[in-house]
Amino acid sequence: VVSGTNYTYKDCITRSTKAKVIFEQVEVGMADWMKRKYNNKLPSSTCQVRQYSANYYHMCRFFTYLMFQSPTLKQFDYVWRMDGNSALATPITCDLFEVMRDTNAVFGFYRWDKKEPAQCMGPIKQFGLDYAQKHSFQPRHLNLVGTNDGPTHYLGAWGVFKWSFFSSPSWLQWVQAVDDAGFVYKHRLGE
């Protein structure tokens, strides 16, 4: 029950909107190979900005990898992900989904002009270049990532995803490789 109410958290969410709300129970946690390798403990992370809980890393893994396998979300053209502790300070003055559709965008985000410490990114750019070479394609977006010296990045608390792109076999193969490399837990990738 949410403090000061007689409602559960789910009830409060449902009562706060006229829109249809769908809930899906998901299983989160480390991949089985990581559990075995690290004896069910978190591996040490290169990101030492602050200490993060195991649940924080599991949340990052969900939003990096597991979310795109959701059977519930397959019914939508676009999905807007927003952290539960986030809020909009001002009304959105356009239809985000219409803008995405009209511009043929696959990802909409809030750009955050803060430099991310290199140790919190890990070698993701080089990993991406190696992956592209192995799979014989030339990425056209890595210049947006910047260098591992602290790129400008987007705020991970919310984003709008074109579902057909992020659930495509090629994207799922990529995020599987990122997950298999343990980037979420080793470098705090995903937030």
Side-chain angles (χ1 to χ4, degrees):
V1 175
V2 175
S3 178
T5 74
N6 292 325
Y7 300 109
T8 66
Y9 186 63
K10 285 171 57 173
D11 291 335
C12 288
I13 292 170
T14 304
R15 294 170 59 85
S16 70
T17 182
K18 294 176 186 173
K20 178 181 177 183
V21 178
I22 301 169
F23 295 96
E24 176 183 349
Q25 183 170 334
V26 297
E27 297 296 323
V28 296
M30 293 191 321
D32 289 338
W33 72 268
M34 287 192 80
K35 290 178 189 175
R36 288 189 300 275
K37 182 173 182 176
Y38 297 104
N39 294 322
N40 286 321
K41 295 180 181 162
L42 292 177
S44 60
S45 174
T46 60
C47 184
Q48 298 298 315
V49 174
R50 67 182 176 105
Q51 294 294 319
Y52 297 96
S53 69
N55 285 335
Y56 175 84
Y57 286 105
H58 299 331
M59 179 269 305
C60 288
R61 182 172 185 244
F62 175 78
F63 285 124
T64 301
Y65 174 62
L66 299 172
M67 179 174 107
F68 301 111
Q69 299 173 39
S70 165
T72 301
L73 297 176
K74 288 181 182 180
Q75 64 186 300
F76 300 105
D77 294 328
Y78 296 93
V79 171
W80 183 355
R81 174 241 163 153
M82 190 167 176
D83 281 3
N85 63 348
S86 297
L88 299 173
T90 60
I92 296 176
T93 59
C94 65
D95 182 330
L96 291 176
F97 305 113
E98 186 175 293
V99 171
M100 296 279 293
R101 188 174 33 259
D102 291 350
T103 60
N104 200 29
V106 296
F107 182 58
F109 59 94
Y110 175 80
R111 183 175 173 175
W112 192 21
D113 290 323
K114 179 183 176 216
K115 299 296 182 186
E116 181 75 4
Q119 70 270 23
C120 294
M121 295 292 291
I124 189 63
K125 185 172 183 177
Q126 188 59 52
F127 184 82
L129 290 169
D130 294 345
Y131 180 89
Q133 183 176 28
K134 179 181 176 183
H135 295 278
S136 303
F137 69 91
Q138 181 64 41
R140 297 181 311 219
H141 69 286
L142 289 179
N143 61 312
L144 300 174
V145 175
T147 67
N148 281 352
D149 296 328
T152 298
H153 63 292
Y154 72 93
L155 181 62
W158 76 268
V160 181
F161 302 86
K162 184 175 184 177
W163 200 252
S164 61
F165 177 85
F166 285 95
S167 62
S168 68
S170 58
W171 179 261
L172 293 177
Q173 184 180 5
W174 158 249
V175 293
Q176 176 76 56
V178 170
D179 191 60
D180 288 348
F183 269 85
V184 166
Y185 295 96
K186 294 177 185 176
H187 307 293
R188 202 208 70 167
L189 188 72
E191 174 68 297

